[in-house]
Structure formats: structure tokens, C-alpha cells
Amino acid sequence: MSVTERTILLAGATSASGIALTEALVARGARVIATGRSPERLTPVSDAGAQALVADAASFEDMTALAEHLGAVDGVIPLVGGWRGGGGLAGQSDDDLDALLPAFKAVRATSRAFDTALRASGAGRFAIVSSTAVARPLAGGANYASVKAASEAWARAVAQGYAKAARDAGEPLEAASVVFRAKGLDVAALVPAVLSLWETDAAELNDRVIDL
């Protein structure tokens, strides 16, 4: 298997990682759908070869409409992120938590909206970018680590859902949900890790936490 001719959704793709992944996936012959909330901020990923669509990755309604529009999809990677922290435990404000929650909401919305499509793909891949802070949370980053931990738990639940669906159908596992953990997001490490998702059997990938 390879990513060539696969349809990959990068949800919330206006960051440097979204642009780099678009360039790499397009270079490998993939069809890339990139979403963002701002048409202007989507221009770089469009220039990199993606089909850019305005949609909120954290909105289940938007992602469901997109899933119905796209039909077949082979990969979904929510890239909504950001950092808010500092000030010890007392500094973990509600405002900071609210600013971080869209990342978790994007994991939920995209996995739910594209569940059927990914399981039907034959090579469906769902992947999230998490943080090593989950394994060693600090007081000054408690909000951030908690959101990442929740995202990881959700991605692992997605993995269990894929496995159960295949087992119940008496079919081989073909979809996989993966967590990438990074200390600080290194785009140079993320890109080859994402490309390799379609070069590895789903049974080997599903429910894995991969350190970048």
C-alpha cells in the first residue's frame, strides 16, 4: 500500500504542519482536502496543491456536511492545536482551557463524522498529534496536558471501535487510529510519520502511540 491516489483530509490545516503535510502528500500523489475557518489563511495550502474548503474542524455539523460531500476518504488528520499555559496550577484559567478545547473538539468531530468512510476505505487512517506532556504533566501546563490526554483517550476509543467493527463482521482490520506524541511539534518528523501510515498494516498500527 501507499498514499498514492488516496484522499486525505487535513482538518484545521492552516498551520506550518498543515502546509508541510500538504506538500508532502501531494508530492506522493495523494488528493488533499484542507479545511480552515478563514479563506485567507487557506491560501498557502491551496497554493501547495490542496483542495481548500472553509469548514470548522471542531464543528460536528461542519464535518458531517463535509463527509457527505466528499464520500470516500482514506485518511483524516485533525491539526487544530495551540498552547496556553504557565503560572503554575493557579494560572490554569478557564479562558485558557476554553482556548485549548477546540483541539479536542476537532478530534471528536472529525472521527465521528468520518467513521463510516474510514472503515469502508480499505486503508482508513485516523491520526492525531499529541504531546509528551500527557506522560509527564506539569502544573503550569495542566490545562494543555489534560486536553491532550482527553484527545488520546478518544483516539484510542476510535481504535477499539475499528477493531470491534472488523471483528463483528468477521473481516480483517483495515482501519487504524494512531496517536503521534511530540515534545515540541517537529514538522520534519511528523511528515514521514504520516506518510508511513499507508505503508504499514492496520493491525500493526491500530491503537499505537508513536513517539516523534
Side-chain angles (χ1 to χ4, degrees):
M1 291 194 304
S2 76
V3 75
T4 303
E5 297 185 356
R6 301 287 183 188
T7 297
I8 315 299
L9 171 68
L10 303 179
T14 57
S15 64
S17 58
I19 297 167
L21 283 172
T22 297
E23 291 173 343
L25 288 165
V26 169
R28 289 289 188 93
R31 175 195 179 204
V32 177
I33 312 297
T35 73
R37 293 182 299 172
S38 164
E40 294 76 17
R41 294 191 64 193
L42 281 167
T43 298
V45 285
S46 178
D47 291 344
Q51 178 184 352
L53 298 173
V54 176
D56 184 355
S59 164
F60 180 61
E61 183 179 68
D62 280 11
M63 291 299 103
T64 299
L66 183 59
E68 292 172 353
H69 171 70
L70 294 177
V73 171
D74 303 295
V76 174
I77 305 174
L79 293 171
V80 177
W83 159 260
R84 297 278 288 266
L89 200 64
Q92 304 305 291
S93 71
D94 289 348
D95 285 344
D96 285 348
L97 179 61
D98 289 343
L100 293 166
L101 279 176
F104 176 51
K105 290 181 177 179
V107 171
R108 293 182 69 252
T110 53
S111 62
R112 292 169 64 206
F114 288 91
D115 181 64
T116 299
L118 290 175
R119 287 191 287 108
S121 158
R125 300 292 185 264
F126 180 75
I128 72 165
V129 180
S130 185
S131 169
T132 54
V134 171
R136 190 173 183 274
L138 303 177
N143 278 335
Y144 177 77
S146 296
V147 168
K148 290 298 186 182
S151 297
E152 287 198 15
W154 189 277
R156 296 195 66 190
V158 172
Q160 190 276 335
Y162 291 162
K164 184 178 186 302
R167 185 170 62 249
D168 290 349
E171 298 174 349
L173 180 63
E174 294 180 327
S177 176
V178 176
V179 173
F180 293 122
R181 270 191 194 167
K183 184 175 182 179
L185 184 55
D186 181 355
V187 173
L190 177 62
V191 167
V194 168
L195 293 175
S196 71
L197 293 176
W198 289 270
E199 299 168 357
T200 308
D201 188 80
E204 181 181 342
L205 279 175
N206 196 41
D207 202 23
R208 279 188 62 191
V209 177
I210 300 172
D211 292 325
L212 297 181

